[in-house]
Each structure stands twice: as structure tokens, then as C-alpha cells.
Amino acid sequence: MIDLKDFEYDELTEYLMSIGEKKFRAEQIFSWLHKGVKSYEEMTNLSRDIREKLNRETYVSTLSVREKLVSEIDGTVKYLFELPDGNCIESVVMRYHHGLTICISSQVGCRMGCRFCASTIGGLYRNLTAGEILNQVIFAQKDMGERIGNIVIMGIGEPLDNYDNIIKFLHNVNHEKGLNIGYRHITLSTCGVVPMIYRLADEKLPITLTISLHAPNNSIRNSIMPVNHKYNIEELLNACRYYFEATNRRISFEYSLIHGVNDSMSDAEELAARIADLHGHVNLIPVNKVEERSFEKGSIGDIKAFQERLVSLGINATVRRELGADISASCGQLRKKVL
Ligand code: SAH
């Protein structure tokens, strides 16, 4: 059975024509799907004949909410969604002054093995389909009853390890007949799958790329991020330079501060020198404690000092505000708890 949300608009049009339908049906069906209807019966401008035909080969995919937690501190909402095969993924909706932002998952589990991360502990189960990635935005928006204007692909999984489905998702979520979310309002975060950064650059989508750097040199990065053994920092930053030249979009960097591992003053200095020519923004994240991992965050003073050192060296750096601290809002934590 085909999930029509796995089709891009043109593919949907082609499919409908192949089953003897008129072209204009694509627009109707595409926009219903993106409104979060749960069956063809809800598509009230389709004849019974078309609905029956669609039901023969295709279905309307949905997500069910297995758990929903609302932070009492800041209103952050965390969803544990259950997929049709029983697997679970997480999405988080955060409220900023400019509107709602959703953080979505790209895979069930992850095979990248970052030492500090909860999502990778059980390894990769499977990729999410393009429809499943999109459904997180559709169903969260429907549940919130309010437009979601920004997307960050920073939940469970490595998006560039599920490349084709992520690209389909990006095209669909941006489509004017669908949710119509601008590429400039979408951020994709990667641990550094270098060949896919080059491919993404050549797609020329003006999304923001953010790199989970977390270390100023190969020796530290090798010790916390296995992907660095395959694609080292020099190769990664060269890919970033290519991305910047191809898209004219500045890269941002995530740097989770782990006490005694990557948070010394000399680490800050080495980091500043390495990325200076990229003029990117550095997001400092005090590492979140994960039960199975022994990493600790530094004191507020340590974190502030690291930021100030970067700023004094001309690097734009901010400390990420912690949202949803009371509801396990960081990636992978809730799924792991429930499983
Ligand atoms: N796989 C992608 C996106 C998912 S993770 C990536 O690696 O970028 C989103 C961000 O959270 C990444 O920067 C990741 O390194 C970071 N992260 C994961 N576990 C963390 C933890 N325990 N504390 C702080 N940041 C963490």
C-alpha cells in the first residue's frame, strides 16, 4: 500500500493521472493530506468513486500520540508518537517570541554512536519515510491548534543518513499547497556526514545547516564522535566552506560543553581559530546528563567563561536556553524511558 505523503506533488499528480483522474485532483488531495485528515472519507470534495479507487492501492498515514508532556516551566510540549509498526519517535514543540518551532526526528534510533547522546544507545532501527517525517509537523500543528512556523531537524536520528526521504520531506513541507513553511525557517543538524553535505549544498535549498562540532580538534572529536574517524574535522570544515559558497547561507555550529573533555580555555581558543573564516554562529549547549553516560556539565561560570573567550576572539557565540527541563525534552530521553 502506498502512503500518498511519500509522493512529491508532481509524483502525486502523475499517480492520479495513471489511475485515470484529472490533474486538478492533486491539488485537492495534497492539501487535505497536509491538513492532517485521517481518511479519504474526510476529503469531502472527492466523489465516492475516487475515494474507493484510492483505497484500493493507497492509504492515509497517521501518527498516534503515545504520550504528551507539557512543561510547567515554559509550555514546551513533548510528543512521543507511535508509528504504525509500533516504533516510537519524539517531537518537541517550543514557543519562542517569533512563534512555534518544532524539533522533529528523522530516524528510529541512530547509528552514529555519539558518546553523549541518548538516541543512539540502541542503534538504528530504521529510517523514517518522508511521510512519517512530515506527519510529525502535521499532527503537532493540528494538536496545538496553531501554526508551526519553524522546523529544526534535531530530534532522534541523523538526517543525512536518511538523505532521500529528508529531501522529499523538505520539498513537501515547503510546498505552497501544503504547510508552506519557508526554507529559511528550516534548520537541519548533522554530526558531519561529509559527502551528503556536498550533495545538500548542490540542492541549493536555502535552509540553515548546523554542524554538531563539539570539539576543536580531531583527538577530542574522535573520542566522543565515532563519525570523526570516517570524516575528520578538516574534511568537515571544507564541506562547510563549500556549503557556504554554494548557498550563501552561513553555517551554525553546535558545541555541547562537557566538563573536563572539551570546555577548557585552550579548547575555546583552538575552536575560534578553526572556524573564524566561516563567520558562523556557535550555539553552546551545556551537556544534558544521560543516565547511561558519565558526562557532566560544567558550572554556569565555566560555560560563561567559554562563551566570553569565543566572543573576545571575534566568534558569535550564545548559550542555548534550556527549554522543557522538567519533561525530558532532550532528544531520545523520553523514548528510551518508555521503551
Ligand atoms: N544527528 C543530528 C541531529 C540530532 S541531535 C546531529 O548530530 O546533529 C541534536 C543535537 O543535540 C546534536 O548537536 C547533538 O550532538 C546534541 N546532543 C545529543 N545528546 C546531547 C546531550 N546529552 N547533551 C547535549 N547535547 C546533546
Side-chain angles (χ1 to χ4, degrees):
M1 293 291 268
I2 303 167
D3 174 5
L4 291 185
K5 276 177 265 187
D6 283 339
F7 282 147
E8 293 199 22
Y9 192 86
D10 292 347
E11 295 170 324
L12 177 64
T13 311
E14 249 170 60
Y15 175 76
L16 291 170
M17 289 170 75
S18 78
I19 59 167
E21 288 306 322
K22 295 262 164 40
K23 212 171 167 179
F24 76 93
R25 293 288 179 202
E27 179 173 338
Q28 295 176 326
I29 294 173
F30 193 85
S31 75
W32 278 119
L33 289 170
H34 290 235
K35 284 191 181 100
V37 298
K38 294 193 167 168
S39 71
Y40 295 121
E41 303 315 305
E42 290 177 55
M43 300 187 179
T44 49
N45 52 3
L46 298 188
S47 68
R48 205 162 84 205
D49 177 51
I50 301 178
R51 287 186 220 152
E52 274 173 13
K53 224 193 275 180
L54 288 173
N55 274 322
R56 260 175 245 149
E57 279 184 344
T58 72
Y59 70 104
V60 180
S61 64
T62 58
L63 283 180
S64 53
V65 178
R66 169 98 175 249
E67 247 187 78
K68 175 182 173 183
L69 302 174
V70 183
S71 166
E72 287 177 16
I73 306 170
D74 50 49
T76 298
V77 180
K78 175 143 199 167
Y79 295 97
L80 185 72
F81 285 122
E82 187 169 328
L83 302 165
D85 65 0
N87 275 308
C88 289
I89 49 168
E90 294 174 34
S91 319
V92 182
V93 179
M94 296 155 286
R95 191 177 294 280
Y96 293 102
H97 61 272
H98 55 269
L100 296 183
T101 295
I102 188 166
C103 173
I104 57 172
S105 298
S106 55
Q107 296 180 311
V108 182
C110 181
R111 58 179 180 144
M112 294 298 141
C114 298
R115 302 261 183 269
F116 44 80
C117 181
S119 299
T120 196
I121 288 173
L124 176 68
Y125 286 76
R126 68 171 176 87
N127 280 330
L128 293 180
T129 63
E132 287 170 333
I133 301 169
L134 181 68
N135 274 341
Q136 298 169 68
V137 188
I138 292 174
F139 287 101
Q141 173 162 295
K142 199 172 176 191
D143 184 69
M144 297 292 293
E146 204 180 315
R147 183 179 148 81
I148 292 177
N150 302 278
I151 300 175
V152 297
I153 309 171
M154 283 193 194
I156 296 168
E158 167 50 51
L160 297 188
D161 192 34
N162 186 13
Y163 188 86
D164 293 341
N165 291 337
I166 282 288
I167 296 296
K168 257 187 187 190
F169 157 74
L170 290 171
H171 290 159
N172 279 343
V173 81
N174 173 252
H175 201 284
E176 54 170 356
K177 306 291 181 204
L179 294 177
N180 196 14
I181 299 182
Y183 287 126
R184 289 190 160 68
H185 297 273
I186 302 177
T187 297
L188 183 148
S189 177
T190 178
C191 65
V193 185
V194 165
M196 296 300 151
I197 295 175
Y198 284 99
R199 254 180 93 181
L200 185 65
D202 291 337
E203 308 273 351
K204 304 259 194 280
L205 305 174
I207 60 171
T208 300
L209 180 65
T210 173
I211 305 290
S212 298
L213 195 58
H214 306 320
N217 58 47
N218 285 315
S219 110
I220 297 178
R221 203 161 191 268
N222 281 336
S223 74
I224 52 177
M225 299 182 72
V227 68
N228 199 69
H229 291 289
K230 196 151 186 201
Y231 310 112
N232 67 26
I233 289 206
E234 289 79 10
E235 293 170 287
L236 176 57
L237 294 177
N238 281 337
C240 292
R241 290 180 184 107
Y242 182 84
Y243 189 91
F244 179 51
E245 276 159 26
T247 64
N248 218 8
R249 302 279 298 159
R250 282 195 189 172
I251 308 276
S252 6
F253 297 97
E254 286 153 283
Y255 196 102
S256 296
L257 288 159
I258 310 173
H259 191 50
V261 174
N262 64 1
D263 67 342
S264 72
M265 281 303 107
S266 67
D267 294 333
E269 286 152 17
E270 198 177 352
L271 175 66
R274 268 217 190 251
I275 62 171
D277 69 302
L278 277 154
H279 305 289
H281 178 261
V282 178
N283 244 314
L284 297 169
I285 314 161
V287 75
N288 274 301
K289 199 160 165 46
V290 174
E291 255 167 57
E292 291 82 348
R293 313 297 209 206
S294 55
F295 296 122
E296 300 280 350
K297 61 180 100 180
S299 68
I300 295 171
D302 292 340
I303 294 164
K304 202 88 197 107
F306 195 93
Q307 180 204 6
E308 281 166 6
R309 193 75 197 107
L310 286 179
V311 170
S312 75
L313 294 166
I315 304 290
N316 185 349
T318 48
V319 180
R320 184 178 294 169
R321 194 157 59 98
E322 197 176 6
L323 290 174
D326 53 336
I327 55 165
S328 315
S330 311
C331 16
Q333 292 183 358
L334 181 61
R335 170 171 166 267
K336 199 165 56 62
K337 208 180 276 177
V338 169
L339 296 182

